[in-house]
Amino acid sequence: MEPKRLVLSKISSSYYSEDRKLAVLNRVSLDVKAGEFVSLLGPSGSGKSTILKIAAGLLKPDRGRVFANGREVTGAVKVGYMPQQDLLLPWKTLLENCALPLLAEGKPRAESHRRVEKLLPVFGLAGFEGYYPGQLSGGMKQRAALLRTVLIDSNLMLLDEPFAALDTITRENLQEWMMSILHRFNRSVLFVTHSIDEAIYLSDRIYMISDRPGRIVTELMVGLPRPRSRTVVTSSRFLNYKQELMGALAGA
Amino acid sequence: MKKKSLNNILPLGIILALLALWETVCRVFAIPDFFLPTPSSIARALAGNLPLLLKHTTATFYAVVAGLALAMVVAVALALTMDRWPLAKRALYPPLVISQAVPIFALAPIILIWLGVDLKPKIAVVALVCFFPLAINLVEGLEQVNPEALDLMQVMQAGPGFIFQSVLLPAVMPYFFSGLKISATYSVMGAIIGEWLGGSTGLGVYMTRSMYSFKTDHMFAAILIVVVLSLALFKLAGFLAWLFMPWERVQSKE
């Protein structure tokens, strides 16, 4: 049995809106094992982002406990958290943005920049290190944000709909590319998405979450062999999974 | 290209035409110089008094620079305090607005009583006029800092110093500089008001003296310098913004 990188145990969360308490999450339990790619699939507004924030220790749940690498999470933990917007700082060049996690650790500037420069070709960003985010395309910004997330020294990554804002072609390219990247860096991933296809294509396991207040509706193991090619989306197994998830969503 | 040069020439042409009209009206109707001097006599007054005007301009300029510097320190301190403690924001906002609601003309004599007639009250008046746009803009800038960017800093386990220099400082810079543009334009006016009420040097003093001896052309010369000085400071603020925010340059180019 592989060790668990992340465990959320019976998490409930809510927020106040004009003095009314709105439940966001209702006793959500999930885990991510070492090297596993797990997707959180659900309609928008189902509290998926809240789960990631709680997992990163950025938000305190009303009830329930969180463990990252066996340690209970009480405050912000060092984790490869990538928020929904690419969140490259507009005042920093691509190189400076990607080097942020290393600089925050107190690594010297020259060394940090060298490490980023070595990774730029892998992320298809070579030659753009001096560009500001405003000069980059959406796909490039997402790749840069992912590079930065990879450089956060942690074996766990929390990715919040990283491809949601992109067009279909860019999105599919990045999905394929990301799978190869993650394999290379051997990270465990909790991945938030509202796209059923994306979840099946990328994941080892999928948690389907209901509309607010979010609770886990179903859990699905994706047995598609890796490496997966694009054509897998037309296979009957893929379509079976899709049907199962759509049924779960309708019944939720 | 052609259109751009036309855009530059047109305002200049209008100014020249107005000056010509002014000169003609004064001459045709034989308007006395003490009532409304012609542009040419203003130019003569300016040229003939250059060393004296320069001395007074320097005095005003010192007050402006010192007052602006003081305003910046006060504004940054206030904004950081108000951003850090919401209670401080709620407590400080009303008195801040009140400080601007009282006309500076009414406050200046009181400041003179408190601080004497030297450089100090002038600096105080300039600072009082200038700190408000800076402080308000900075507070707003700090409010606009993306909370997600701060979350990101948290998961990188970045220290407060690192967060300040890589997120907060650059995020508020555009707000700071737009405040500075307003403050820089007001600053000369503040110094002049301070000088009207007392002191021995400065363009304000020069203006009062010219007024008492009916040298209206000298007054206009001083006004011209005030305008040029205000414009120069405004342009300088814009240049500093350009210099310190290289990312804004490339983005606007796109």
Side-chain angles (χ1 to χ4, degrees):
Chain A
M1 187 78 180
E2 286 129 352
K4 285 178 178 172
R5 293 293 182 218
L6 176 72
V7 178
L8 268 67
S9 166
K10 294 176 186 149
I11 295 290
S12 295
S13 178
S14 58
Y15 72 95
Y16 285 89
S17 162
E18 291 162 19
D19 293 334
R20 268 183 52 215
K21 193 175 169 181
L22 283 175
V24 180
L25 297 173
N26 182 15
R27 294 170 68 83
V28 169
S29 296
L30 59 84
D31 60 74
V32 179
K33 296 178 190 73
E36 200 178 23
F37 193 112
V38 177
S39 280
L40 257 175
L41 174 66
S44 38
S46 56
K48 304 186 295 283
S49 297
T50 308
I51 293 179
L52 285 201
K53 283 212 167 117
I54 289 172
L58 293 168
L59 199 69
K60 258 186 113 60
D62 296 349
R63 264 191 304 270
R65 301 173 79 182
V66 183
F67 299 88
N69 286 308
R71 283 233 208 93
E72 178 143 26
V73 171
T74 47
V77 284
K78 195 175 215 173
V79 64
Y81 172 61
M82 180 169 158
Q84 205 158 7
Q85 309 144 276
D86 61 73
L87 261 179
L88 299 177
L89 304 177
W91 42 84
K92 294 203 176 278
T93 62
L94 190 150
L95 181 66
E96 291 166 338
N97 262 298
C98 293
L100 277 174
L102 305 172
L103 296 171
E105 276 174 13
K107 293 228 164 62
R109 184 166 299 268
E111 184 199 325
S112 309
H113 284 188
R114 260 202 312 279
R115 262 191 74 188
V116 174
E117 273 161 0
K118 264 207 299 205
L119 284 175
L120 285 174
V122 182
F123 286 74
L125 293 166
F128 291 95
E129 50 268 39
Y131 282 54
Y132 287 100
Q135 299 170 292
L136 300 170
S137 71
M140 290 174 97
K141 280 194 268 192
Q142 290 297 347
R143 287 201 299 257
L146 203 62
L147 199 172
R148 181 177 64 187
T149 311
V150 164
L151 283 178
I152 298 175
D153 186 22
S154 164
N155 51 28
L156 179 65
M157 288 173 77
L158 308 170
L159 309 178
D160 194 352
E161 304 207 39
F163 308 135
L166 302 175
D167 61 89
T168 319
I169 295 172
T170 314
R171 186 185 171 119
E172 287 180 358
N173 283 338
L174 282 187
Q175 286 169 354
E176 254 164 85
W177 166 85
M178 190 182 72
M179 286 215 292
S180 64
I181 290 284
L182 292 175
H183 184 70
R184 174 178 170 150
F185 288 94
N186 192 30
R187 300 288 165 90
S188 318
V189 181
L190 185 58
F191 184 90
V192 160
T193 178
H194 61 246
S195 156
I196 293 181
D197 286 32
E198 184 170 73
I200 302 171
Y201 181 58
L202 294 173
S203 311
D204 300 310
R205 203 146 53 84
I206 298 170
Y207 289 103
M208 167 83 84
I209 186 165
S210 72
D211 219 338
R212 199 159 54 210
R215 62 193 163 77
I216 303 289
V217 180
T218 185
E219 183 187 342
L220 178 80
M221 299 288 295
V222 180
L224 300 170
R226 289 184 189 272
R228 295 170 192 169
S229 75
R230 224 345 108 190
T231 51
V232 80
V233 299
T234 54
S235 71
S236 62
R237 282 178 78 186
F238 189 99
L239 295 172
N240 283 340
Y241 287 135
K242 192 168 173 175
Q243 209 161 29
E244 192 176 327
L245 288 170
M246 285 169 90
L249 190 60
Chain B
M1 213 57 194
K2 217 172 186 179
K3 195 156 189 181
K4 191 155 189 202
S5 61
L6 184 72
N7 278 344
N8 287 332
I9 290 168
L10 199 65
L12 196 69
I14 287 175
I15 289 174
L16 286 176
L18 281 175
L19 284 176
L21 182 71
W22 178 354
E23 185 88 30
T24 323
V25 166
C26 282
R27 280 171 194 243
V28 167
F29 295 98
I31 295 171
D33 243 11
F34 76 86
F35 189 77
L36 180 64
T38 59
S40 57
S41 59
I42 294 168
R44 267 195 305 278
L46 187 69
N49 277 292
L50 218 49
L52 186 63
L53 275 168
L54 206 66
K55 189 190 118 195
H56 287 297
T57 307
T58 315
T60 303
F61 186 68
Y62 279 145
V64 163
V65 171
L68 264 177
L70 180 62
M72 278 184 212
V73 173
V74 173
V76 168
L78 270 175
L80 287 177
T81 310
M82 286 163 81
D83 184 64
R84 179 71 182 74
W85 293 283
L87 195 66
K89 190 188 275 181
R90 248 177 292 155
L92 287 173
Y93 231 99
L96 271 182
V97 177
I98 290 170
S99 80
Q100 298 302 302
V102 181
I104 195 72
F105 296 94
L107 273 181
I110 300 171
I111 293 172
L112 246 72
I113 291 170
W114 289 341
L115 296 176
V117 286
D118 224 354
L119 194 61
K120 275 188 275 178
K122 275 204 278 180
I123 295 175
V125 173
V126 174
L128 193 63
V129 176
C130 292
F131 90 94
F132 188 71
L134 284 171
I136 294 300
N137 270 292
L138 281 172
V139 167
E140 199 173 315
L142 287 167
E143 276 171 4
Q144 301 299 319
V145 171
N146 191 338
E148 299 249 290
L150 295 176
D151 279 353
L152 202 64
M153 289 289 128
Q154 294 276 307
V155 298
M156 290 179 191
Q157 309 267 287
F162 187 83
I163 296 176
F164 181 78
Q165 63 152 17
S166 49
V167 178
L168 296 183
L169 191 64
V172 298
M173 260 197 219
Y175 294 85
F176 173 78
F177 282 114
S178 51
L180 187 63
K181 278 184 189 167
I182 301 171
S183 292
T185 326
Y186 284 173
S187 61
V188 183
M189 181 199 76
I192 300 287
I193 291 172
E195 286 162 355
W196 275 349
L197 298 160
S200 52
T201 50
L203 285 169
V205 173
Y206 182 86
M207 284 162 99
T208 348
R209 284 181 190 163
S210 307
M211 185 180 76
Y212 287 140
S213 48
F214 287 97
K215 288 182 186 163
T216 316
D217 48 349
H218 287 69
M219 274 195 79
F220 269 95
I223 290 172
L224 187 65
I225 293 178
V226 168
V227 169
V228 170
L229 198 58
S230 301
L231 270 179
L233 285 168
F234 178 79
K235 287 282 176 195
L236 180 67
F239 172 72
L240 290 176
W242 179 85
L243 190 69
F244 283 110
M245 300 189 294
W247 64 92
E248 297 268 324
R249 277 180 250 162
V250 282
Q251 238 142 314
S252 63
K253 207 192 273 175
E254 224 201 355

